[in-house]
Amino acid sequence: MIIEKLKKANLKGRGGAGFPTGLKWEMVKKSRAKRKYIICNGSEGEPNVFKDGFILKNYPEEIIDGIKIALEVINDSSAYIYLRKDYYQKFKNKLKKIIGRSPIILFKETGGYLCGEETTLLESIEGKKEEPRAKPPYPSEAGLWGYPTLINNVETFYYVAQIAKNNYQETRFYSLSGDVKNKGVYELPVKWTIKQILKKTNNFPRFNFFVQSGGGAAGEILTDKEINRPVKGTGAIIVYNLKKTKPVQLMKKWINFFLKENCGKCLPCREGVYRINEILNKNKIDKKLLEDLLFVLKETSFCPLGKSIAIPFRDLINKIYKV
């Protein structure tokens, strides 16, 4: 049975949260409901995260195979592939051809970055405002239109197909960018460290550097002494030249992104991001005030995306630069 195979392979979701895939499938399968839904999340809105687009371009058959396996396992189900606007335009024709008559609907994202969050994605498909829901209940219990819903990332469905065919080699896809020679997407072992990945791809810097790992704008910052560890989250590695990178400009880049993509639902995130932007645009940065705002964001934001905003800022000002 595929669920047991997923558990044995220890496949975890590749959308960022890393929840055990087999367990999630089992929860939805065992749910008692007259209808169930399966959603392939292809929103991928983080800056410098582009591995799902690579998989959609190069392995569309495997993605659809993974979704079809879920349809077979989860009774009374139908599926959606939720795609970022540009992905929808690029891949809709090829995907529709592969889907054929299977009960799989392509859905074009209605919002932006926040639609990558699973409950916001559900609101989007239901035609509501693109804002996160309170959890619990989780989508596996009450998801799309209140029915149990399985939500997995594009890459996760790709590996479901590999596991079903006994082809899984415990690998994952990494997005490499920044101050590197060979920007791109690489499929390499899950347990490899950032250092191993940079060396294998001929991207290990010959200058003083630091990296941002896991997500895009919300990824953690690591010094060159901290890269003997595996990559978390969405598998992104961004390399920065320590001497050339201007810390305030980098933080402004992050906060401009979060300002643009903020849903505005909760006060801590809405006002916190606005105030951080104000601080960064002053002649002298008030580090104490900045850290206080980051603390509030992390501890009181409504959804995980708001909480994650604090990670790169705190790392950058405490580990890399003296701001």
Side-chain angles (χ1 to χ4, degrees):
M1 185 178 179
I2 187 61
I3 290 178
E4 293 307 314
K5 280 190 171 185
L6 295 177
K7 288 182 178 180
K8 188 175 180 180
N10 195 29
L11 181 67
K12 294 182 179 179
R14 302 292 166 79
F19 191 84
T21 305
L23 179 58
K24 183 183 282 190
W25 282 44
E26 186 175 59
M27 289 164 64
V28 177
K29 180 176 174 59
K30 288 183 176 180
S31 295
R32 293 186 178 182
K34 63 180 181 180
R35 189 180 304 167
K36 298 176 184 179
Y37 291 99
I38 295 157
I39 301 175
C40 175
N41 185 350
S43 179
E44 194 170 56
E46 282 268 18
N48 298 92
V49 181
F50 41 88
K51 47 96 177 177
D52 284 352
F54 175 87
I55 300 168
L56 282 161
K57 179 181 178 181
N58 294 284
Y59 305 106
E61 292 88 358
E62 286 84 347
I63 298 167
I64 302 302
D65 284 346
I67 298 169
K68 287 180 178 178
I69 290 167
L71 286 167
E72 291 174 4
V73 171
I74 298 171
N75 58 301
D76 302 313
S77 63
S78 56
Y80 286 83
I81 301 178
Y82 188 91
L83 294 172
R84 205 173 79 184
K85 295 181 183 73
D86 57 332
Y87 288 175
Y88 182 87
Q89 294 302 323
K90 287 180 184 177
F91 307 122
K92 64 178 179 179
N93 292 334
K94 180 180 277 189
L95 288 171
K96 283 179 180 179
K97 186 176 180 180
I98 299 168
I99 289 167
R101 296 185 178 182
S102 297
I104 303 173
I105 298 170
L106 294 184
F107 193 97
K108 183 167 68 173
E109 179 185 77
T110 58
Y113 164 70
L114 203 66
C115 286
E117 194 276 329
E118 61 181 10
T119 63
T120 309
L121 181 153
L122 296 173
E123 295 288 282
S124 172
I125 294 177
E126 291 180 8
K128 300 173 184 175
K129 188 176 181 180
E130 296 88 358
E131 292 181 346
R133 298 177 181 176
K135 293 188 287 189
Y138 295 94
S140 58
E141 304 166 280
L144 195 60
W145 291 296
Y147 293 103
T149 303
L150 171 69
I151 305 175
N152 276 142
N153 172 260
V154 165
E155 183 182 350
T156 310
F157 278 112
Y158 167 84
Y159 280 118
V160 167
Q162 298 303 310
I163 290 168
K165 294 183 287 188
N166 299 315
N167 289 338
Y168 182 53
Q169 302 295 318
E170 294 189 56
T171 57
R172 70 170 301 172
F173 289 90
Y174 300 93
S175 306
L176 270 67
S177 62
D179 294 313
V180 296
K181 292 180 180 179
N182 303 305
K183 177 182 175 180
V185 177
Y186 298 87
E187 187 177 12
L188 294 166
V190 171
K191 294 181 180 179
W192 271 23
T193 65
I194 297 168
K195 186 174 184 178
Q196 285 176 300
I197 294 165
L198 291 175
K199 287 187 173 182
K200 177 66 176 179
T201 59
N202 196 28
N203 280 315
F204 195 85
R206 295 184 179 180
F207 47 80
N208 292 329
F209 70 98
F210 63 93
V211 302
Q212 190 167 20
S213 171
E220 65 178 334
I221 299 295
L222 302 171
T223 69
D224 58 357
K225 303 293 191 298
E226 296 178 303
I227 58 173
N228 283 310
R229 62 176 74 176
V231 182
K232 300 176 182 178
T234 57
I237 301 173
I238 309 167
V239 176
Y240 296 95
N241 187 316
L242 189 60
K243 290 184 178 180
K244 292 182 180 180
T245 303
K246 297 179 180 179
V248 175
Q249 292 304 314
L250 180 56
M251 288 192 287
K252 282 183 178 180
K253 181 180 178 181
W254 293 336
I255 209 64
N256 285 336
F257 171 75
F258 290 119
L259 269 172
K260 178 185 174 184
E261 300 295 343
N262 199 296
C263 76
K265 178 170 183 171
C266 76
L267 178 65
C269 190
R270 182 181 68 244
E271 295 300 317
V273 169
Y274 180 80
R275 296 303 173 191
I276 290 171
N277 183 58
E278 278 190 335
I279 291 172
L280 294 177
N281 282 287
K282 291 183 178 179
N283 292 330
K284 186 177 180 181
I285 292 176
D286 186 333
K287 185 178 177 181
K288 177 63 168 60
L289 180 57
L290 177 58
E291 288 185 325
D292 287 346
L293 285 168
L294 294 172
F295 175 82
V296 173
L297 269 168
K298 183 178 183 297
E299 298 299 326
T300 63
S301 290
F302 182 80
C303 80
L305 296 180
K307 296 177 187 296
S308 68
I309 292 173
I311 296 170
F313 290 92
R314 295 174 85 174
D315 286 348
L316 191 71
I317 63 178
N318 291 320
K319 292 164 64 172
I320 309 296
Y321 296 103
K322 298 295 182 182
V323 176

